[in-house]
């Protein structure tokens, strides 16, 4: 089976290379600092390990959502303007327009592979907080990547719900690789619940998905994350899943 290569840029941003197709998740390339969002602000504590100009050409951007600066920032928006295709939510299309293409949950597009096959990108649900928080946090999507002779990859986006994970596993699983947005993000927007997976839930998600490999994203480099890489390592070890976790340093890659 052809491996998938994942290069961790920082925050929610990674380059995913699969079957000769290059994809970029949630582009965030701005410098550290304070980023307003309504009456609130998010604090970025570290910049990307790879600059936007160093990413190189990609075939598509996988954008979980556009309404929060920790998932799409100013430099990320500039990057989108030069990307051939961005797959995201209907809300993102309404706000940004082209090159965003709305991809509803369970629908897919096929991207041509250099070998003559296709990489299928399927949109899947995501819940950016507890049940009922959708009107506050906004629309979010995740993605499933699949194709003949390729590992099946799940990219969660900002999802906090294991019920959502179960539905995805039932309809699309099992998975070889899970790219999980973790960090147990918390903000005053939803003060009583995390907006992304906790470390313990990330470990449980790995089991639900049947994922042999887990690459966490979006658990550091912003002040509103409450669980870091050490918490992920501990949770996976306690669940007996330590060998499945691939905690990448910014700027490094894994072939899985």
């Amino acid at each position: 089976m052809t491996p998938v290569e994942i290069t961790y840029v920082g925050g929610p941003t990674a380059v995913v290379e699969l079957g000769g197709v290059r994809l970029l998740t949630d582009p965030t390339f701005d410098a550290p600092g304070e980023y307003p969002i309504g009456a609130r602000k998010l604090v970025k504590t570290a910049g990307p390990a790879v600059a936007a100009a160093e990413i190189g050409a990609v075939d598509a951007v996988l954008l979980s959502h556009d309404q929060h600066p920790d998932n799409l920032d100013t430099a990320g928006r500039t990057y989108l303007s030069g990307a051939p295709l961005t797959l995201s939510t209907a809300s993102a299309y309404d706000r940004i327009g082209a090159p965003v293409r709305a991809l509803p949950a369970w629908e897919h597009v096929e991207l041509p592979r250099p070998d003559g096959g296709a990489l299928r990108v399927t949109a899947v649900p995501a819940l950016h907080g507890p049940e009922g928080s959708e009107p506050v946090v906004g629309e979010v999507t995740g993605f499933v990547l699949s194709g003949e002779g390729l590992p099946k990859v799940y990219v969660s986006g900002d999802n906090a719900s294991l019920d959502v994970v179960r539905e995805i596993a039932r309809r699309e699983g099992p998975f070889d690789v899970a790219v999980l947005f973790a960090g147990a993000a918390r903000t005053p927007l939803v003060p009583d619940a995390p907006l992304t997976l906790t470390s313990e839930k990330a470990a449980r998600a790995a089991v639900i998905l049947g994922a042999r490999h887990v690459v966490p994203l979006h658990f550091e480099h912003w002040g509103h994350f409450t669980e870091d890489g050490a918490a992920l390592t501990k949770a996976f070890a306690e669940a007996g899943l330590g060998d499945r976790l691939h905690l990448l340093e910014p700027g490094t890659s894994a072939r899985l």
Side-chain angles (χ1 to χ4, degrees):
M1 182 179 292
T2 302
V4 57
E5 182 169 345
I6 300 173
T7 302
Y8 179 35
V9 175
T13 311
V15 178
V16 180
E17 300 185 54
L18 186 59
V21 178
R22 298 185 84 236
L23 307 169
L24 182 71
T25 64
D26 288 14
T28 55
F29 297 109
D30 285 353
E34 295 182 352
Y35 290 86
I37 175 169
R40 302 170 290 113
K41 63 183 178 183
L42 299 179
V43 179
K44 189 174 188 179
T45 58
V50 183
E54 299 172 329
I55 294 294
V58 300
D59 297 284
V61 174
L62 306 180
L63 178 62
S64 70
H65 61 298
D66 71 301
Q67 64 266 29
H68 299 145
D70 59 323
N71 293 87
L72 182 66
D73 58 18
T74 300
R77 290 175 185 274
T78 299
Y79 186 91
L80 290 190
S81 67
L85 174 66
T86 296
L87 301 173
S88 192
T89 65
S91 300
Y93 173 77
D94 289 343
R95 286 184 286 258
I96 298 174
V100 172
R101 174 176 171 178
L103 191 63
W106 311 118
E107 294 190 11
H108 69 269
V109 300
E110 293 194 343
L111 304 178
R113 293 162 52 180
D115 63 6
L119 174 67
R120 176 173 289 195
V121 181
T122 303
V124 293
L127 178 58
H128 195 2
E131 291 287 343
S133 63
E134 298 94 325
V136 178
V137 298
E139 187 181 13
V140 181
T141 190
F143 302 93
V144 169
L145 313 177
S146 61
E148 185 177 355
L150 301 178
K152 183 171 280 191
V153 180
Y154 167 53
V155 181
S156 73
D158 276 6
N159 173 62
S161 169
L162 287 183
D163 285 340
V164 166
V165 172
R166 290 185 186 96
E167 183 183 14
I168 293 166
R170 178 178 62 81
R171 294 183 62 152
E172 293 286 337
F175 292 88
D176 298 289
V177 179
V179 180
L180 301 180
F181 288 31
R186 292 181 181 271
T187 76
L189 188 67
V190 183
D192 300 325
L195 301 178
T196 53
L197 292 172
T198 65
S199 300
E200 185 268 337
K201 283 189 173 182
R204 289 169 62 189
V207 174
I208 294 167
L209 296 163
R212 297 182 296 111
H213 303 284
V214 174
V215 176
L217 298 181
H218 214 24
F219 62 91
E220 58 185 356
H221 304 154
W222 288 86
H224 56 288
F225 291 117
T226 63
E227 297 183 10
D228 58 10
L232 281 162
T233 299
K234 181 174 184 289
F236 274 72
E238 289 178 347
L241 306 173
D243 60 335
R244 301 194 196 186
L245 182 66
H246 301 268
L247 203 62
L248 301 182
E249 292 292 325
T252 66
S253 303
R255 287 173 63 84
L256 306 170

